[in-house]
Amino acid sequence: MKISIIMPAYNAEKTIVQAVDSVLGQSFGDWELIIVDDNSTDGTIAAIPADLRIKVIKSAVNQGAAAARNLAVSCATGDWLAFLDSDDLWHSQKLQRQVEFIAKTNAKICYTATSYITETNQPYNYILHAKNTLTYKELLKRNLMSCSSVMVQKSLMLPFPIGNLHEDYAVWLKILRTEKYAHGLDEPLLIYRMVKGSKSDSRVASGIMTYNAYRYVGYNSIAAAFLTLRYAVHSLTKRLFIKRLNFNG
């Protein structure tokens, strides 16, 4: 099984080395890493470690993470896709454990539990757990499928939509409309970095993107507004809980 790892990057010189090093340190070795630099203005490209398995594509214009991911997917040679954002990290056993999990469950799309760190690498005492099987109706309530934890058969993958929406959430919803469920490996193999000032950190901006994701998958304005409100309650509760917990160590 060859895995194509998809990484969009924009002005990520402060975090991309850690992200790439977490790929280089994987116990599973049959992978390629495709990094699309989305016309960064800092030293992102210069910071990327040299390795024959890493392919770097420089975008001439800044188009956003969705377009960068789509470009990387179009260049992928693996039968499976994995996603890792340039500010997140993987546990060294992440790919190996998912490959074993896929063989055991015959999953076509799977994800893992998520742990969290601050911008300065301090860990939070919180784990976002994964459900053994996650259905479309369950995913509608809240997004348990952190993008950087997902592995999916390339043949099953759909393009990430372009626009002001949570494009990964929209894609997982569309896939689970045809697939019975996603399989969840309840091990925190993804380390998600909480970045202040990001789009997902702004509650208003995130709410608008969630609403637009529901609209994208076919819900009318009233249904999308209700779903967004329900999602917001789950999301706000999770974030408040994370930030109230003491740091490890």
Side-chain angles (χ1 to χ4, degrees):
M1 176 192 291
K2 182 178 181 180
I3 301 169
S4 295
I5 303 164
I6 307 303
M7 180 183 291
Y10 177 68
N11 288 351
E13 66 177 354
K14 294 181 179 180
T15 60
I16 197 167
V17 173
Q18 279 189 291
V20 173
D21 281 349
S22 77
V23 175
L24 294 173
Q26 289 296 301
S27 58
F28 181 87
D30 192 6
W31 53 261
E32 63 176 356
L33 172 59
I34 305 172
I35 302 174
V36 175
D37 178 79
D38 198 21
N39 199 32
S40 294
T41 58
D42 66 356
T44 295
I45 288 183
I48 298 171
D51 190 283
L52 293 176
R53 293 169 292 180
I54 301 175
K55 180 178 183 179
V56 180
I57 302 170
K58 173 71 174 178
S59 177
V61 295
N62 179 264
Q63 300 183 77
R69 289 193 188 106
N70 289 338
L71 176 57
V73 169
S74 72
C75 299
T77 62
D79 295 325
W80 283 81
L81 303 173
F83 300 90
L84 178 61
D85 286 347
S86 59
D87 53 358
D88 294 334
L89 308 169
W90 282 346
H91 186 283
S92 62
Q93 296 288 317
K94 194 265 188 187
L95 293 181
Q96 182 66 47
R97 292 291 296 124
Q98 278 190 287
V99 167
E100 295 169 351
F101 184 67
I102 287 166
K104 179 180 178 181
T105 61
N106 293 316
K108 295 181 180 180
I109 179 170
C110 70
Y111 70 106
T112 75
T114 302
S115 62
Y116 295 83
I117 58 174
T118 68
E119 291 180 87
T120 56
N121 297 313
Q122 292 177 287
Y124 287 101
N125 288 311
Y126 177 80
I127 301 295
L128 178 64
H129 289 282
K131 293 176 64 68
N132 185 47
T133 55
L134 180 66
T135 66
Y136 174 81
K137 288 185 178 180
E138 291 170 326
L139 187 62
L140 270 180
K141 297 178 183 178
R142 56 175 178 156
N143 186 11
L144 295 176
M145 297 177 63
S146 299
C147 187
S148 292
S149 79
V150 172
M151 273 185 58
V152 59
Q153 282 187 348
K154 186 181 179 184
S155 59
L156 193 66
M157 190 61 197
L158 301 172
F160 290 97
I162 309 299
N164 185 33
L165 74 166
H166 288 303
E167 68 277 355
D168 55 320
Y169 185 41
V171 167
W172 312 147
L173 284 170
K174 279 207 164 187
I175 289 175
L176 290 197
R177 270 187 164 170
T178 56
E179 290 299 308
K180 189 174 181 180
Y181 40 71
H183 289 265
L185 176 58
D186 195 23
E187 298 176 15
L189 303 175
L190 164 64
I191 306 164
Y192 180 94
R193 192 184 303 275
M194 302 276 283
V195 179
K196 292 180 180 179
S198 66
K199 290 191 298 182
S200 60
D201 191 53
S202 168
R203 292 300 86 205
V204 174
S206 183
I208 292 171
M209 290 191 294
T210 302
Y211 172 85
N212 289 338
Y214 289 133
R215 293 286 284 153
Y216 175 79
V217 298
Y219 290 93
N220 63 38
S221 58
I222 296 174
F226 169 78
L227 291 168
T228 300
L229 180 60
R230 184 175 65 175
Y231 186 105
V233 172
H234 285 294
S235 181
L236 182 59
T237 301
K238 181 188 77 173
R239 290 215 166 220
L240 288 175
F241 188 64
I242 292 173
K243 293 180 179 180
R244 284 176 179 172
L245 289 174
N246 293 326
F247 299 139
N248 286 324

